[in-house]
Amino acid sequence: MLTGAVRQIKIWTSWLEHCMIAVETEAGPQLQCRRSDQWRTRVTSADTSEQVDARLDRPLLVLGALMAAGTFAAALDATIVSLALDSIRSEFNTPIETIQWIITGYLLGIATVIPVTGWAVDRFGARTMWLTAMGLFLGASLLCGIAWSAPSLIASRVLQGFGGGMIVPIAQAVLARAAGPSRVGRIMALVTIPTQFASVIGPTLGGLLVETTTWRWIFYLNLPICLIAGVLAARLLPPDEPQREARLDLRGLLMLSPGLALLVFGVSRVADGTTAVLIPVAAGAVLLAGYVVHARTTPHPPVIDLRLFSTRWFRTLAAIMLVYGGFFFGAVYLFPLYFQQARGHSALQAGLEVAPQGIGLLLMVFLGGSLADKLGPRPAMLGGLGLLALGTLVYTQLPADPPMWLLLTALAVRGAGVGLCVGPLMAAVFQGGLPKASIPRATTAVNILQRVGGSFGTALFAVVLTSQAGAHDDATPADFSHTFWWVAGLVVLALVLTLTLQRGHPAAASADD
């Protein structure tokens, strides 16, 4: 493990050095237009060439650094907030099922805005939409920091989700176009390294802020990060040509986004035990069914092009992405809450205890990307999901009071599993033979599924935990143990789905059905 850590540090250091050299070379007091034109030409040629060089060259690394600067802020926010939930619950005197909406509301905001992101990138250009997303995320973070009640904080988190929801798919689409199929696994993994570094420092930093200041600073921390990332992007991100003729599928958007939101809302209210929850679930299902009919009959490009699902490869990946989002984002909510409620630890202690998961991820994330480029995504995903299942099963034995070293080791194993999965899972979307013109909308589709899965997973786990805890203010180890069985079940489901994936690189996946 130590050797792997040293290797990852060397890779990351070398990457940062390349990026700094490239920034110094490509940007100057007047942006050195001639060199910038060369950079844009080289990136564009990487996008259009039939035979893409397998080397990660300087222009691609610079582009990756710019994208990582923005995604780092969104990733840091997600990991920090989970450590503050117990403090927010105490300050606003609200139950667990309400506080979980701080996580679910953010994911719902993401799921709502992602459908329009693909169109917006086509219509206004990736550079314009990237700066818009960063500005929206910054403003919403400020509103979260000054929230005066739980409802105001949840509303601000939904707005923050609108900004954060655009950041990731824009970054993925830009990098996938520039890298090509032969390099997409490694560039996604390299960009994931600093982004996922947030999962290492996020919990500890969040716990430290909650203990020494107030939970509000977990949102104020986003302000300088977003400002720096926005300035760098405005100065260095090459402009692209917007497609003025791109048309928004407004009718489809008005069915898809509310339908998803109503379904998640209905699931989150199952613990109430009333038939009233059937109303939003039924309404959401009707809207989604209407969208399916609309998408299959409209003569214009729909929000999600259902033709993407005509191949078995993409259908399977879509199902895996949905399940993966459920157990990954849902578990982000559970682990810090367990250490604070069931173990009685402080926010800072809980942050330090959750950190091994991020360390395990960093040790394995580049290996996962490399395996995806060489062998295809299936082997790395199977290994990663196996580790995730093993690490999660330890937390199903909480009533037996496992020793702390075992719990922390299990978190590191889970992190290693995520590291092996995350790069191959995203790269698999772009290694399935999709034409480059379909990449933005394919990225939109898989991100919607992942975030919707996260919304469902968070809501589901909160319902299970709340129903187990009953009238108690804090859940017991047995309550958490029962909930983690649901997490483990979703991991096993993803593992079974991955076994059905085609071996190797499915270059001709579009022709298998």
Side-chain angles (χ1 to χ4, degrees), residues 61-78:
L61 289 172
V62 172
L63 198 61
L66 291 176
M67 297 297 101
T71 55
F72 177 82
L76 184 65
D77 181 81

Side-chain angles (χ1 to χ4, degrees), residues 241-329:
E241 189 67 29
Q243 301 175 19
R244 302 296 180 187
E245 70 280 2
R247 175 171 178 161
L248 174 63
D249 179 21
L250 184 59
R251 181 179 298 178
L253 185 66
L254 291 177
M255 288 188 282
L256 182 61
S257 293
L260 294 173
L262 285 168
L263 271 180
V264 174
F265 177 77
V267 171
S268 71
R269 307 309 301 176
V270 168
D272 295 347
T274 65
T275 56
V277 301
L278 297 177
I279 297 175
V281 169
V286 168
L287 285 173
L288 291 180
Y291 173 77
V292 171
V293 174
H294 164 77
R296 294 176 66 90
T297 57
T298 180
H300 306 291
V303 176
I304 296 181
D305 189 353
L306 298 184
R307 289 175 298 180
L308 292 169
F309 297 88
S310 61
T311 67
R312 181 170 59 87
W313 177 264
F314 196 86
R315 286 196 302 270
T316 305
L317 281 178
I320 295 171
M321 193 70 77
L322 185 69
V323 177
Y324 178 88
F327 68 71
F328 178 74
F329 290 104

Side-chain angles (χ1 to χ4, degrees), residues 85-126:
L85 292 180
D86 203 49
S87 298
I88 296 172
R89 183 176 70 94
S90 298
E91 179 171 331
F92 292 143
N93 193 25
T94 54
I96 294 175
E97 59 266 28
T98 299
I99 285 301
Q100 63 94 9
W101 274 95
I102 295 174
I103 301 291
T104 304
Y106 179 72
L107 295 174
L108 269 179
I110 290 175
T112 302
V113 77
I114 284 179
V116 79
T117 303
W119 166 83
V121 170
D122 290 340
R123 176 64 178 81
F124 301 106

